[in-house]
Amino acid sequence: MKMQINGKAVESYSGEFFDIINPATGELIDQVPKGTEYDVEIAVEAASSAFNCWASTSPQQRARILYTAAGVVRQRKDELAILLTREQGKPFAESKNEIEGFANVLEYYCGLVSSFHGDFIPVPQNGYSFTIKKPLGVCAAIIPWNMPALIMAWKISPALIAGNTLVLKPASNTPLTNLTLASILSEAGLPPGVINIVTGPGEVVGESLVKNPQVKKISFTGEARTGKRVAELAAGGMKRVTLELGGSDPMIVCDDANLETAVSGALRGRFYNCGQTCTAVKRLFVFESVAEEFIKKLEASIRNLRVGNGLHENIDMGPLNNCRQREYIKELVADVEEKDEGRIVAGGRVPEGSAYSRGYFFEPTLVVDVQRESRLLKEEVFGPVLPVVQVKNLEEAIEEANNTCYGLGASIWTKNIDRVRTGCEQLNAGIIWINQHLKVAPEVPFGGAGESGIGKENGPDALSEYLDLKALMLKI
Ligand code: NAP
């Protein structure tokens, strides 16, 4: 597949390509161009040339185009989901969910099309004041590999509805769904240059996008370490940034929780997308009084998870997306064993058998009695390993839960309204779930505190991230 610049499928000026590998089979799926700084310049130029025309297109017309594209995405849902599973690894049902999520987000922002306007503000001494909202210009979107379609929607929908143009850099492991979605947008009527996609290494394509003086805003999703680099580069041009970074979400199971529901929540919260979700349950704190029963049920459920190629029937969990990610997870588990910092009661190994021999599989893993100093509690565990820690009460659980540099999501499982209130007030997180974990919706603001990032995606607030607010003061 080729890059997309100014409405055309193009190769890179480097003339080079890189491989896209199926993480379940190790097979080559496709090759995409290895973009360069020069390709980024051309793409930004195209987005810049398209800006005035797109910004002056009526918001209703912009919405009509995006709405048409969402309809096509729904019609082609199965085909897109197969492509997503082939490049990313997640089970087909999860891919379908993600593709539907793409269409939902696009349609949600189409619905907000009449809502972003300025205000009239009366001021003392016969003055009048107005505010107007204008698009920013060329925006950059940098996407990770864990949820490439959904995160593309989170960025492009508010940006385009607000009248901005875009250059998007997909993750190097998962560019194919992003490229296909962009061509659907073009076929739905998006004028050339309004969305451009440059594939290639983050250090080259990502950095030159962030540094380009014509780029006014960067929306980045990825690791905290990369986010800091992006923020550093963006500061040089005093650019606006939205940074959606890592998380180490705690799940707190109180003694009055419905344990069956909590087990299902932990299962989905941790092992959905093979544990590679920013808001996955990465640390589980359970009250001592119910720990034994809860862990027994959880262990049984984890052992029942069916691991395999996401395109095969009845698969609950696919492979990790890439070799580096699996090596990291193996290293973390080996570290726990070596230092005796926890007890592995389920999984912990690469599964055996020919079905697993060429993919990046790892067993769904449960580690209990995890020691406070373990890397499992200190680092972002981006894979299918669930560490469980026993706590005496809610106070201790919240203290442990907040003992991280991240603040993305958190959940509390209880029937007690006082505990709910305490959790909501004291947990340091951008999103707090009660008796559930992981759910997101286009209407609800999403974004973290601390090293989980800056700014929000989803909801009406995300539109403000792509609009410039100007004040006018009149004396008549
Ligand atoms: P990553 O390594 O930081 O990469 C993210 C994107 O940045 C990729 O497109 C990557 O390109 C690019 N990139 C790499 N180095 C860059 C640089 N120096 N300048 C500009 N761009 C650069 O993250 P990942 O491993 O793909 O994604 C997993 C991480 O994302 C996890 O930490 C997860 O928690 C986080 N995440 C957060 C959210 C949220 O909303 N908070 C959502 C999903 C994921 P290449 O692919 O070419 O390296």
Side-chain angles (χ1 to χ4, degrees):
M1 226 179 250
K2 295 183 179 167
M3 305 195 292
Q4 286 186 28
I5 300 182
N6 213 9
K8 294 193 195 86
V10 295
E11 292 182 8
S12 162
Y13 277 82
S14 69
E16 291 177 46
F17 288 82
F18 60 96
D19 296 344
I20 309 302
I21 302 294
N22 182 333
T25 61
E27 285 162 0
L28 176 72
I29 314 172
D30 205 340
Q31 292 191 313
V32 294
K34 190 168 175 186
T36 61
E37 289 173 12
Y38 186 59
D39 295 303
V40 170
E41 251 177 64
I42 306 282
V44 172
E45 201 50 58
S48 184
S49 304
F51 173 67
N52 282 342
C53 182
W54 182 245
S56 55
T57 301
S58 76
Q60 287 72 17
Q61 175 59 10
R62 298 202 286 259
R64 272 193 288 274
I65 295 171
L66 298 191
Y67 204 80
T68 305
V72 177
V73 168
R74 289 193 191 285
Q75 280 162 14
R76 293 176 56 182
K77 183 171 65 186
D78 284 5
E79 168 212 335
L80 286 160
I82 289 171
L83 182 63
L84 180 54
T85 293
R86 288 183 74 214
E87 67 174 342
Q88 202 280 344
K90 61 184 71 183
F92 177 63
E94 292 183 18
S95 289
K96 253 189 5 189
N97 213 7
E98 187 172 337
I99 299 297
E100 273 168 18
F102 179 92
N104 291 342
V105 175
L106 221 54
E107 287 167 356
Y108 168 74
Y109 279 100
C110 293
L112 290 192
V113 72
S114 308
S115 72
F116 55 99
H117 48 69
D119 268 332
F120 165 69
I121 310 162
V123 287
Q125 291 159 356
N126 298 332
Y128 294 94
S129 174
F130 299 91
T131 56
I132 54 173
K133 291 181 178 177
K134 307 283 282 176
L136 304 171
V138 179
C139 298
I142 302 180
I143 309 274
W145 48 259
N146 68 327
M147 301 237 169
L150 188 64
I151 291 168
M152 176 180 182
W154 287 0
K155 298 189 186 311
I156 67 163
S157 311
L160 295 178
I161 277 290
N164 301 282
T165 56
L166 271 164
V167 179
L168 183 145
K169 188 210 123 30
S172 292
N173 296 331
T174 55
L176 304 177
T177 312
N178 291 146
L179 284 164
T180 311
L181 288 167
S183 64
I184 290 176
L185 284 156
S186 298
E187 284 158 24
L190 207 62
V194 172
I195 188 164
N196 306 276
I197 312 247
V198 183
T199 49
E203 294 75 15
V204 179
V205 172
E207 293 210 5
S208 38
L209 244 184
V210 176
K211 286 191 277 192
N212 189 299
Q214 294 198 77
V215 170
K216 305 296 179 210
K217 190 225 152 74
I218 298 114
S219 182
F220 169 86
T221 300
E223 279 185 45
R225 198 182 35 193
T226 324
K228 286 178 191 175
R229 173 74 182 143
V230 167
E232 204 179 288
L233 294 173
M238 203 55 83
K239 298 178 184 197
R240 282 211 203 178
V241 286
T242 302
L243 300 172
E244 298 294 350
L245 311 177
S248 185
D249 286 16
M251 168 171 174
I252 299 173
V253 181
C254 300
D255 52 2
D256 63 330
N258 177 327
L259 293 189
E260 301 290 343
T261 320
V263 165
S264 320
L267 222 58
R268 182 177 153 79
R270 176 70 275 194
F271 301 106
Y272 192 84
N273 199 11
C274 197
Q276 304 163 117
T277 305
C278 51
T279 49
V281 174
K282 298 193 181 125
R283 295 170 297 145
L284 195 149
F285 299 100
V286 57
F287 280 28
E288 281 169 1
S289 50
V290 291
E292 195 183 334
E293 186 186 350
F294 176 76
I295 289 168
K296 221 162 126 191
K297 287 178 195 288
L298 186 59
E299 181 190 337
S301 304
I302 290 175
R303 287 186 187 280
N304 279 337
L305 289 175
R306 292 155 300 189
V307 179
N309 184 331
L311 289 179
H312 295 169
E313 299 235 318
N314 301 323
I315 291 300
D316 299 309
M317 196 181 91
L320 285 139
N321 171 260
N322 56 72
C323 181
R324 186 177 66 118
Q325 206 59 34
R326 186 173 66 174
E327 288 310 304
Y328 176 66
I329 292 298
K330 277 162 72 176
E331 184 191 304
L332 282 181
V333 172
D335 196 66
V336 170
E337 283 180 313
E338 228 166 77
K339 296 183 182 152
D340 203 15
E341 287 179 343
R343 207 159 42 85
I344 297 167
V345 291
R349 293 170 306 130
V350 170
E352 285 168 6
S354 57
Y356 305 113
S357 61
R358 295 186 58 211
Y360 308 126
F361 294 96
F362 197 83
E363 291 176 341
T365 300
L366 178 63
V367 190
V368 299
D369 303 333
V370 179
Q371 303 297 303
R372 298 325 194 247
E373 58 278 15
S374 165
R375 287 176 65 190
L376 288 185
L377 302 180
K378 294 196 177 312
E379 298 178 20
E380 183 189 23
V381 181
F382 214 57
V385 179
L386 178 57
V388 176
V389 175
Q390 296 189 27
V391 287
K392 286 192 181 56
N393 51 35
L394 188 59
E395 198 186 353
E396 188 187 352
I398 292 177
E399 195 183 324
E400 297 277 357
N402 286 342
N403 187 16
T404 166
C405 61
Y406 296 111
L408 195 52
S411 65
I412 174 159
W413 299 68
T414 178
K415 299 185 196 103
N416 180 321
I417 192 72
D418 283 336
R419 285 174 168 172
V420 169
R421 189 178 49 80
T422 307
C424 290
E425 282 179 11
Q426 296 183 8
L427 282 165
N428 180 26
I431 181 161
I432 294 173
W433 292 279
I434 320 297
N435 296 323
Q436 61 172 336
H437 199 111
L438 219 59
K439 186 166 175 61
V440 291
E443 299 83 355
V444 182
F446 182 93
E451 295 207 5
S452 290
I454 298 171
K456 298 288 172 195
E457 293 192 308
N458 285 343
D461 293 327
L463 264 175
S464 317
E465 308 254 353
Y466 293 93
L467 288 163
D468 202 14
L469 187 66
K470 272 190 187 171
L472 314 176
M473 296 194 80
L474 280 75
K475 182 132 179 98
I476 301 172

